[in-house]
Amino acid sequence: KSSSHTSPSSTRWCGEKNDIDCRITFTSMVKLLNFELFDRISKEAANTERGRKNYDLRDSENENGQRMLNILNPGSKTPIHRHQSTNEAVVCIFGSVTENIYDMNGNIIDSIRLTAGGNLSGLIIEQNTYHSLEATEKMGVVISTKAGSFKPMNPDDILQL
């Protein structure tokens, strides 16, 4: 079904034009997390060495929590890392990604494919668990949340192989 968005105080049609049952009114206070956003960020990420890019979903840098989109292009992968003070929730909202879980020696002990709209679309990674996120054959988009304010990754949190 088609949809469009204009602002401020616009109406978005979920189906055919004038489909009264599916009409929703929006204001300029809404951020749409849609393919257009994912595609734009994916194109920006394609011009980076990492091949992936984050999109901050927090209200401000002072917020005591972390919420972000992580857009991964095919071939991109996060470093093997851990979070020592918090769990991390990861939910795939577009495409698919693979979350790999590692032992202290860098051996994969579990490989979990997350697929948007599939039987398994999200997981919670316990604190101190080494993991990495990698793109599959197409662009994947996840929402990642963690407790606490943002701190750059400590070198002790990256598994050196």
Side-chain angles (χ1 to χ4, degrees), residues 114-149:
L114 305 176
T115 303
N119 286 335
L120 181 58
S121 58
L123 50 77
I124 297 174
I125 302 163
E126 297 290 328
Q127 70 184 54
N128 282 317
T129 301
Y130 282 107
H131 63 281
S132 69
L133 186 65
E134 66 181 271
T136 55
E137 61 278 353
K138 296 183 180 178
M139 173 180 59
V141 180
V142 300
I143 290 180
S144 173
T145 64
K146 297 182 282 270
S149 58

PDB file of all heavy atoms in Angstrom, residues 114-149:
ATOM      1  N   LEU A 114      18.896 -12.279  12.411  1.00  0.00           N
ATOM      2  CA  LEU A 114      17.699 -11.502  12.743  1.00  0.00           C
ATOM      3  C   LEU A 114      17.088 -11.001  11.445  1.00  0.00           C
ATOM      4  O   LEU A 114      17.797 -10.439  10.604  1.00  0.00           O
ATOM      5  CB  LEU A 114      18.058 -10.325  13.639  1.00  0.00           C
ATOM      6  CG  LEU A 114      18.814 -10.638  14.928  1.00  0.00           C
ATOM      7  CD1 LEU A 114      19.189  -9.349  15.652  1.00  0.00           C
ATOM      8  CD2 LEU A 114      18.010 -11.555  15.813  1.00  0.00           C
ATOM      9  N   THR A 115      15.787 -11.186  11.288  1.00  0.00           N
ATOM     10  CA  THR A 115      15.096 -10.772  10.076  1.00  0.00           C
ATOM     11  C   THR A 115      13.877  -9.941  10.441  1.00  0.00           C
ATOM     12  O   THR A 115      13.046 -10.373  11.245  1.00  0.00           O
ATOM     13  CB  THR A 115      14.653 -12.006   9.249  1.00  0.00           C
ATOM     14  OG1 THR A 115      15.806 -12.794   8.951  1.00  0.00           O
ATOM     15  CG2 THR A 115      13.973 -11.593   7.962  1.00  0.00           C
ATOM     16  N   ALA A 116      13.789  -8.752   9.859  1.00  0.00           N
ATOM     17  CA  ALA A 116      12.634  -7.883  10.113  1.00  0.00           C
ATOM     18  C   ALA A 116      11.354  -8.607   9.722  1.00  0.00           C
ATOM     19  O   ALA A 116      11.259  -9.152   8.628  1.00  0.00           O
ATOM     20  CB  ALA A 116      12.767  -6.586   9.327  1.00  0.00           C
ATOM     21  N   GLY A 117      10.396  -8.655  10.626  1.00  0.00           N
ATOM     22  CA  GLY A 117       9.119  -9.297  10.349  1.00  0.00           C
ATOM     23  C   GLY A 117       9.163 -10.815  10.369  1.00  0.00           C
ATOM     24  O   GLY A 117       8.154 -11.468  10.123  1.00  0.00           O
ATOM     25  N   GLY A 118      10.316 -11.389  10.691  1.00  0.00           N
ATOM     26  CA  GLY A 118      10.448 -12.847  10.716  1.00  0.00           C
ATOM     27  C   GLY A 118      10.175 -13.422  12.091  1.00  0.00           C
ATOM     28  O   GLY A 118       9.783 -12.708  13.028  1.00  0.00           O
ATOM     29  N   ASN A 119      10.399 -14.727  12.228  1.00  0.00           N
ATOM     30  CA  ASN A 119      10.198 -15.398  13.510  1.00  0.00           C
ATOM     31  C   ASN A 119      11.160 -14.911  14.575  1.00  0.00           C
ATOM     32  O   ASN A 119      10.859 -14.956  15.761  1.00  0.00           O
ATOM     33  CB  ASN A 119      10.335 -16.913  13.358  1.00  0.00           C
ATOM     34  CG  ASN A 119       9.148 -17.522  12.664  1.00  0.00           C
ATOM     35  OD1 ASN A 119       8.052 -16.970  12.700  1.00  0.00           O
ATOM     36  ND2 ASN A 119       9.348 -18.651  12.019  1.00  0.00           N
ATOM     37  N   LEU A 120      12.359 -14.486  14.162  1.00  0.00           N
ATOM     38  CA  LEU A 120      13.351 -13.982  15.100  1.00  0.00           C
ATOM     39  C   LEU A 120      13.850 -12.641  14.590  1.00  0.00           C
ATOM     40  O   LEU A 120      14.624 -12.571  13.635  1.00  0.00           O
ATOM     41  CB  LEU A 120      14.520 -14.964  15.249  1.00  0.00           C
ATOM     42  CG  LEU A 120      15.616 -14.566  16.233  1.00  0.00           C
ATOM     43  CD1 LEU A 120      15.051 -14.357  17.639  1.00  0.00           C
ATOM     44  CD2 LEU A 120      16.708 -15.609  16.253  1.00  0.00           C
ATOM     45  N   SER A 121      13.385 -11.563  15.210  1.00  0.00           N
ATOM     46  CA  SER A 121      13.774 -10.232  14.746  1.00  0.00           C
ATOM     47  C   SER A 121      14.617  -9.475  15.762  1.00  0.00           C
ATOM     48  O   SER A 121      15.178  -8.435  15.435  1.00  0.00           O
ATOM     49  CB  SER A 121      12.535  -9.406  14.382  1.00  0.00           C
ATOM     50  OG  SER A 121      11.679  -9.305  15.494  1.00  0.00           O
ATOM     51  N   GLY A 122      14.740  -9.980  16.988  1.00  0.00           N
ATOM     52  CA  GLY A 122      15.504  -9.256  17.984  1.00  0.00           C
ATOM     53  C   GLY A 122      16.051 -10.152  19.064  1.00  0.00           C
ATOM     54  O   GLY A 122      15.703 -11.330  19.161  1.00  0.00           O
ATOM     55  N   LEU A 123      16.954  -9.571  19.867  1.00  0.00           N
ATOM     56  CA  LEU A 123      17.558 -10.302  20.979  1.00  0.00           C
ATOM     57  C   LEU A 123      18.117  -9.320  21.992  1.00  0.00           C
ATOM     58  O   LEU A 123      18.222  -8.133  21.719  1.00  0.00           O
ATOM     59  CB  LEU A 123      18.666 -11.242  20.495  1.00  0.00           C
ATOM     60  CG  LEU A 123      19.747 -10.700  19.564  1.00  0.00           C
ATOM     61  CD1 LEU A 123      20.787  -9.872  20.276  1.00  0.00           C
ATOM     62  CD2 LEU A 123      20.430 -11.850  18.859  1.00  0.00           C
ATOM     63  N   ILE A 124      18.457  -9.839  23.155  1.00  0.00           N
ATOM     64  CA  ILE A 124      19.124  -9.052  24.187  1.00  0.00           C
ATOM     65  C   ILE A 124      20.463  -9.710  24.454  1.00  0.00           C
ATOM     66  O   ILE A 124      20.530 -10.906  24.754  1.00  0.00           O
ATOM     67  CB  ILE A 124      18.281  -8.962  25.474  1.00  0.00           C
ATOM     68  CG1 ILE A 124      16.970  -8.230  25.181  1.00  0.00           C
ATOM     69  CG2 ILE A 124      19.066  -8.259  26.584  1.00  0.00           C
ATOM     70  CD1 ILE A 124      15.990  -8.206  26.332  1.00  0.00           C
ATOM     71  N   ILE A 125      21.523  -8.920  24.341  1.00  0.00           N
ATOM     72  CA  ILE A 125      22.879  -9.412  24.574  1.00  0.00           C
ATOM     73  C   ILE A 125      23.249  -9.045  26.007  1.00  0.00           C
ATOM     74  O   ILE A 125      23.225  -7.867  26.378  1.00  0.00           O
ATOM     75  CB  ILE A 125      23.863  -8.770  23.576  1.00  0.00           C
ATOM     76  CG1 ILE A 125      23.424  -9.085  22.150  1.00  0.00           C
ATOM     77  CG2 ILE A 125      25.286  -9.250  23.846  1.00  0.00           C
ATOM     78  CD1 ILE A 125      24.051  -8.182  21.111  1.00  0.00           C
ATOM     79  N   GLU A 126      23.569 -10.049  26.811  1.00  0.00           N
ATOM     80  CA  GLU A 126      23.925  -9.815  28.206  1.00  0.00           C
ATOM     81  C   GLU A 126      25.243  -9.038  28.302  1.00  0.00           C
ATOM     82  O   GLU A 126      26.124  -9.193  27.446  1.00  0.00           O
ATOM     83  CB  GLU A 126      24.071 -11.152  28.946  1.00  0.00           C
ATOM     84  CG  GLU A 126      22.790 -11.968  29.001  1.00  0.00           C
ATOM     85  CD  GLU A 126      21.732 -11.367  29.912  1.00  0.00           C
ATOM     86  OE1 GLU A 126      22.106 -10.735  30.930  1.00  0.00           O
ATOM     87  OE2 GLU A 126      20.542 -11.515  29.615  1.00  0.00           O
ATOM     88  N   GLN A 127      25.377  -8.205  29.325  1.00  0.00           N
ATOM     89  CA  GLN A 127      26.607  -7.444  29.505  1.00  0.00           C
ATOM     90  C   GLN A 127      27.801  -8.390  29.581  1.00  0.00           C
ATOM     91  O   GLN A 127      27.671  -9.545  29.975  1.00  0.00           O
ATOM     92  CB  GLN A 127      26.527  -6.547  30.726  1.00  0.00           C
ATOM     93  CG  GLN A 127      26.532  -7.256  32.058  1.00  0.00           C
ATOM     94  CD  GLN A 127      26.360  -6.266  33.202  1.00  0.00           C
ATOM     95  OE1 GLN A 127      25.427  -5.480  33.226  1.00  0.00           O
ATOM     96  NE2 GLN A 127      27.255  -6.322  34.164  1.00  0.00           N
ATOM     97  N   ASN A 128      28.947  -7.899  29.144  1.00  0.00           N
ATOM     98  CA  ASN A 128      30.220  -8.626  29.099  1.00  0.00           C
ATOM     99  C   ASN A 128      30.254  -9.744  28.065  1.00  0.00           C
ATOM    100  O   ASN A 128      31.157 -10.566  28.083  1.00  0.00           O
ATOM    101  CB  ASN A 128      30.626  -9.164  30.473  1.00  0.00           C
ATOM    102  CG  ASN A 128      31.208  -8.077  31.327  1.00  0.00           C
ATOM    103  OD1 ASN A 128      32.006  -7.270  30.860  1.00  0.00           O
ATOM    104  ND2 ASN A 128      30.793  -8.019  32.588  1.00  0.00           N
ATOM    105  N   THR A 129      29.289  -9.802  27.176  1.00  0.00           N
ATOM    106  CA  THR A 129      29.274 -10.808  26.110  1.00  0.00           C
ATOM    107  C   THR A 129      29.917 -10.210  24.869  1.00  0.00           C
ATOM    108  O   THR A 129      29.467  -9.171  24.372  1.00  0.00           O
ATOM    109  CB  THR A 129      27.828 -11.237  25.785  1.00  0.00           C
ATOM    110  OG1 THR A 129      27.228 -11.768  26.968  1.00  0.00           O
ATOM    111  CG2 THR A 129      27.788 -12.261  24.673  1.00  0.00           C
ATOM    112  N   TYR A 130      30.960 -10.855  24.374  1.00  0.00           N
ATOM    113  CA  TYR A 130      31.580 -10.384  23.134  1.00  0.00           C
ATOM    114  C   TYR A 130      30.669 -10.720  21.964  1.00  0.00           C
ATOM    115  O   TYR A 130      30.171 -11.846  21.846  1.00  0.00           O
ATOM    116  CB  TYR A 130      32.946 -11.032  22.934  1.00  0.00           C
ATOM    117  CG  TYR A 130      34.024 -10.400  23.777  1.00  0.00           C
ATOM    118  CD1 TYR A 130      34.536 -11.055  24.892  1.00  0.00           C
ATOM    119  CD2 TYR A 130      34.524  -9.141  23.458  1.00  0.00           C
ATOM    120  CE1 TYR A 130      35.528 -10.471  25.667  1.00  0.00           C
ATOM    121  CE2 TYR A 130      35.518  -8.549  24.229  1.00  0.00           C
ATOM    122  CZ  TYR A 130      36.012  -9.220  25.326  1.00  0.00           C
ATOM    123  OH  TYR A 130      36.986  -8.628  26.092  1.00  0.00           O
ATOM    124  N   HIS A 131      30.456  -9.723  21.104  1.00  0.00           N
ATOM    125  CA  HIS A 131      29.559  -9.903  19.962  1.00  0.00           C
ATOM    126  C   HIS A 131      29.958  -8.970  18.826  1.00  0.00           C
ATOM    127  O   HIS A 131      30.716  -8.015  19.019  1.00  0.00           O
ATOM    128  CB  HIS A 131      28.111  -9.648  20.378  1.00  0.00           C
ATOM    129  CG  HIS A 131      27.859  -8.245  20.844  1.00  0.00           C
ATOM    130  ND1 HIS A 131      28.200  -7.807  22.105  1.00  0.00           N
ATOM    131  CD2 HIS A 131      27.310  -7.174  20.223  1.00  0.00           C
ATOM    132  CE1 HIS A 131      27.861  -6.536  22.237  1.00  0.00           C
ATOM    133  NE2 HIS A 131      27.326  -6.116  21.097  1.00  0.00           N
ATOM    134  N   SER A 132      29.437  -9.264  17.653  1.00  0.00           N
ATOM    135  CA  SER A 132      29.576  -8.364  16.501  1.00  0.00           C
ATOM    136  C   SER A 132      28.313  -8.496  15.667  1.00  0.00           C
ATOM    137  O   SER A 132      27.630  -9.518  15.688  1.00  0.00           O
ATOM    138  CB  SER A 132      30.817  -8.695  15.669  1.00  0.00           C
ATOM    139  OG  SER A 132      30.655  -9.932  15.009  1.00  0.00           O
ATOM    140  N   LEU A 133      28.031  -7.439  14.951  1.00  0.00           N
ATOM    141  CA  LEU A 133      26.858  -7.386  14.089  1.00  0.00           C
ATOM    142  C   LEU A 133      27.349  -7.253  12.662  1.00  0.00           C
ATOM    143  O   LEU A 133      28.233  -6.446  12.385  1.00  0.00           O
ATOM    144  CB  LEU A 133      26.007  -6.174  14.478  1.00  0.00           C
ATOM    145  CG  LEU A 133      24.656  -5.993  13.795  1.00  0.00           C
ATOM    146  CD1 LEU A 133      23.709  -7.127  14.176  1.00  0.00           C
ATOM    147  CD2 LEU A 133      24.054  -4.651  14.193  1.00  0.00           C
ATOM    148  N   GLU A 134      26.803  -8.056  11.753  1.00  0.00           N
ATOM    149  CA  GLU A 134      27.230  -7.949  10.360  1.00  0.00           C
ATOM    150  C   GLU A 134      26.043  -7.982   9.416  1.00  0.00           C
ATOM    151  O   GLU A 134      25.008  -8.571   9.715  1.00  0.00           O
ATOM    152  CB  GLU A 134      28.252  -9.020  10.004  1.00  0.00           C
ATOM    153  CG  GLU A 134      27.766 -10.431  10.020  1.00  0.00           C
ATOM    154  CD  GLU A 134      28.876 -11.412   9.674  1.00  0.00           C
ATOM    155  OE1 GLU A 134      29.049 -11.692   8.483  1.00  0.00           O
ATOM    156  OE2 GLU A 134      29.548 -11.884  10.604  1.00  0.00           O
ATOM    157  N   ALA A 135      26.251  -7.300   8.309  1.00  0.00           N
ATOM    158  CA  ALA A 135      25.213  -7.250   7.284  1.00  0.00           C
ATOM    159  C   ALA A 135      25.128  -8.598   6.583  1.00  0.00           C
ATOM    160  O   ALA A 135      26.102  -9.351   6.519  1.00  0.00           O
ATOM    161  CB  ALA A 135      25.536  -6.154   6.275  1.00  0.00           C
ATOM    162  N   THR A 136      23.973  -8.880   6.050  1.00  0.00           N
ATOM    163  CA  THR A 136      23.810 -10.064   5.215  1.00  0.00           C
ATOM    164  C   THR A 136      23.951  -9.610   3.767  1.00  0.00           C
ATOM    165  O   THR A 136      24.649  -8.647   3.495  1.00  0.00           O
ATOM    166  CB  THR A 136      22.450 -10.734   5.504  1.00  0.00           C
ATOM    167  OG1 THR A 136      21.413  -9.767   5.337  1.00  0.00           O
ATOM    168  CG2 THR A 136      22.395 -11.264   6.933  1.00  0.00           C
ATOM    169  N   GLU A 137      23.270 -10.270   2.859  1.00  0.00           N
ATOM    170  CA  GLU A 137      23.453  -9.958   1.435  1.00  0.00           C
ATOM    171  C   GLU A 137      22.821  -8.634   0.999  1.00  0.00           C
ATOM    172  O   GLU A 137      23.097  -8.136  -0.079  1.00  0.00           O
ATOM    173  CB  GLU A 137      22.930 -11.102   0.564  1.00  0.00           C
ATOM    174  CG  GLU A 137      21.453 -11.405   0.723  1.00  0.00           C
ATOM    175  CD  GLU A 137      21.104 -12.275   1.919  1.00  0.00           C
ATOM    176  OE1 GLU A 137      22.004 -12.793   2.601  1.00  0.00           O
ATOM    177  OE2 GLU A 137      19.899 -12.422   2.183  1.00  0.00           O
ATOM    178  N   LYS A 138      21.975  -8.057   1.836  1.00  0.00           N
ATOM    179  CA  LYS A 138      21.347  -6.766   1.533  1.00  0.00           C
ATOM    180  C   LYS A 138      21.478  -5.856   2.733  1.00  0.00           C
ATOM    181  O   LYS A 138      21.894  -6.282   3.804  1.00  0.00           O
ATOM    182  CB  LYS A 138      19.869  -6.959   1.183  1.00  0.00           C
ATOM    183  CG  LYS A 138      19.645  -7.765  -0.074  1.00  0.00           C
ATOM    184  CD  LYS A 138      18.180  -7.866  -0.407  1.00  0.00           C
ATOM    185  CE  LYS A 138      18.008  -8.681  -1.682  1.00  0.00           C
ATOM    186  NZ  LYS A 138      16.621  -8.848  -2.026  1.00  0.00           N
ATOM    187  N   MET A 139      21.101  -4.600   2.567  1.00  0.00           N
ATOM    188  CA  MET A 139      21.133  -3.646   3.668  1.00  0.00           C
ATOM    189  C   MET A 139      20.272  -4.155   4.823  1.00  0.00           C
ATOM    190  O   MET A 139      19.171  -4.653   4.629  1.00  0.00           O
ATOM    191  CB  MET A 139      20.595  -2.288   3.204  1.00  0.00           C
ATOM    192  CG  MET A 139      20.419  -1.276   4.320  1.00  0.00           C
ATOM    193  SD  MET A 139      19.774   0.338   3.805  1.00  0.00           S
ATOM    194  CE  MET A 139      18.210  -0.036   3.067  1.00  0.00           C
ATOM    195  N   GLY A 140      20.799  -4.012   6.044  1.00  0.00           N
ATOM    196  CA  GLY A 140      20.056  -4.346   7.243  1.00  0.00           C
ATOM    197  C   GLY A 140      20.003  -3.136   8.157  1.00  0.00           C
ATOM    198  O   GLY A 140      20.961  -2.369   8.238  1.00  0.00           O
ATOM    199  N   VAL A 141      18.877  -2.966   8.844  1.00  0.00           N
ATOM    200  CA  VAL A 141      18.711  -1.846   9.767  1.00  0.00           C
ATOM    201  C   VAL A 141      18.235  -2.399  11.101  1.00  0.00           C
ATOM    202  O   VAL A 141      17.262  -3.152  11.160  1.00  0.00           O
ATOM    203  CB  VAL A 141      17.682  -0.819   9.237  1.00  0.00           C
ATOM    204  CG1 VAL A 141      17.527   0.331  10.220  1.00  0.00           C
ATOM    205  CG2 VAL A 141      18.081  -0.313   7.856  1.00  0.00           C
ATOM    206  N   VAL A 142      18.949  -2.026  12.171  1.00  0.00           N
ATOM    207  CA  VAL A 142      18.550  -2.443  13.511  1.00  0.00           C
ATOM    208  C   VAL A 142      18.375  -1.216  14.392  1.00  0.00           C
ATOM    209  O   VAL A 142      18.996  -0.175  14.158  1.00  0.00           O
ATOM    210  CB  VAL A 142      19.577  -3.406  14.170  1.00  0.00           C
ATOM    211  CG1 VAL A 142      19.752  -4.665  13.351  1.00  0.00           C
ATOM    212  CG2 VAL A 142      20.900  -2.730  14.427  1.00  0.00           C
ATOM    213  N   ILE A 143      17.510  -1.362  15.382  1.00  0.00           N
ATOM    214  CA  ILE A 143      17.441  -0.413  16.483  1.00  0.00           C
ATOM    215  C   ILE A 143      18.203  -1.059  17.631  1.00  0.00           C
ATOM    216  O   ILE A 143      17.963  -2.218  17.972  1.00  0.00           O
ATOM    217  CB  ILE A 143      15.995  -0.105  16.896  1.00  0.00           C
ATOM    218  CG1 ILE A 143      15.292   0.710  15.818  1.00  0.00           C
ATOM    219  CG2 ILE A 143      15.967   0.642  18.227  1.00  0.00           C
ATOM    220  CD1 ILE A 143      13.857   1.072  16.147  1.00  0.00           C
ATOM    221  N   SER A 144      19.120  -0.306  18.189  1.00  0.00           N
ATOM    222  CA  SER A 144      19.934  -0.782  19.305  1.00  0.00           C
ATOM    223  C   SER A 144      19.706   0.143  20.493  1.00  0.00           C
ATOM    224  O   SER A 144      19.719   1.366  20.336  1.00  0.00           O
ATOM    225  CB  SER A 144      21.407  -0.769  18.890  1.00  0.00           C
ATOM    226  OG  SER A 144      22.237  -1.062  19.981  1.00  0.00           O
ATOM    227  N   THR A 145      19.480  -0.452  21.663  1.00  0.00           N
ATOM    228  CA  THR A 145      19.294   0.343  22.880  1.00  0.00           C
ATOM    229  C   THR A 145      20.171  -0.208  23.992  1.00  0.00           C
ATOM    230  O   THR A 145      20.359  -1.422  24.106  1.00  0.00           O
ATOM    231  CB  THR A 145      17.830   0.363  23.350  1.00  0.00           C
ATOM    232  OG1 THR A 145      17.445  -0.961  23.718  1.00  0.00           O
ATOM    233  CG2 THR A 145      16.902   0.890  22.278  1.00  0.00           C
ATOM    234  N   LYS A 146      20.709   0.711  24.796  1.00  0.00           N
ATOM    235  CA  LYS A 146      21.523   0.351  25.954  1.00  0.00           C
ATOM    236  C   LYS A 146      21.243   1.364  27.056  1.00  0.00           C
ATOM    237  O   LYS A 146      20.885   2.505  26.781  1.00  0.00           O
ATOM    238  CB  LYS A 146      23.022   0.396  25.617  1.00  0.00           C
ATOM    239  CG  LYS A 146      23.447  -0.600  24.557  1.00  0.00           C
ATOM    240  CD  LYS A 146      24.937  -0.533  24.307  1.00  0.00           C
ATOM    241  CE  LYS A 146      25.364   0.601  23.475  1.00  0.00           C
ATOM    242  NZ  LYS A 146      25.452   0.495  22.070  1.00  0.00           N
ATOM    243  N   ALA A 147      21.456   0.948  28.306  1.00  0.00           N
ATOM    244  CA  ALA A 147      21.308   1.859  29.446  1.00  0.00           C
ATOM    245  C   ALA A 147      22.537   2.756  29.548  1.00  0.00           C
ATOM    246  O   ALA A 147      23.609   2.424  29.057  1.00  0.00           O
ATOM    247  CB  ALA A 147      21.133   1.056  30.730  1.00  0.00           C
ATOM    248  N   GLY A 148      22.360   3.891  30.187  1.00  0.00           N
ATOM    249  CA  GLY A 148      23.478   4.790  30.448  1.00  0.00           C
ATOM    250  C   GLY A 148      23.751   5.739  29.301  1.00  0.00           C
ATOM    251  O   GLY A 148      23.326   5.527  28.176  1.00  0.00           O
ATOM    252  N   SER A 149      24.466   6.803  29.615  1.00  0.00           N
ATOM    253  CA  SER A 149      24.807   7.782  28.594  1.00  0.00           C
ATOM    254  C   SER A 149      25.887   7.227  27.667  1.00  0.00           C
ATOM    255  O   SER A 149      26.627   6.305  28.032  1.00  0.00           O
ATOM    256  CB  SER A 149      25.267   9.088  29.243  1.00  0.00           C
ATOM    257  OG  SER A 149      26.378   8.842  30.072  1.00  0.00           O
TER     258      SER A 149
END
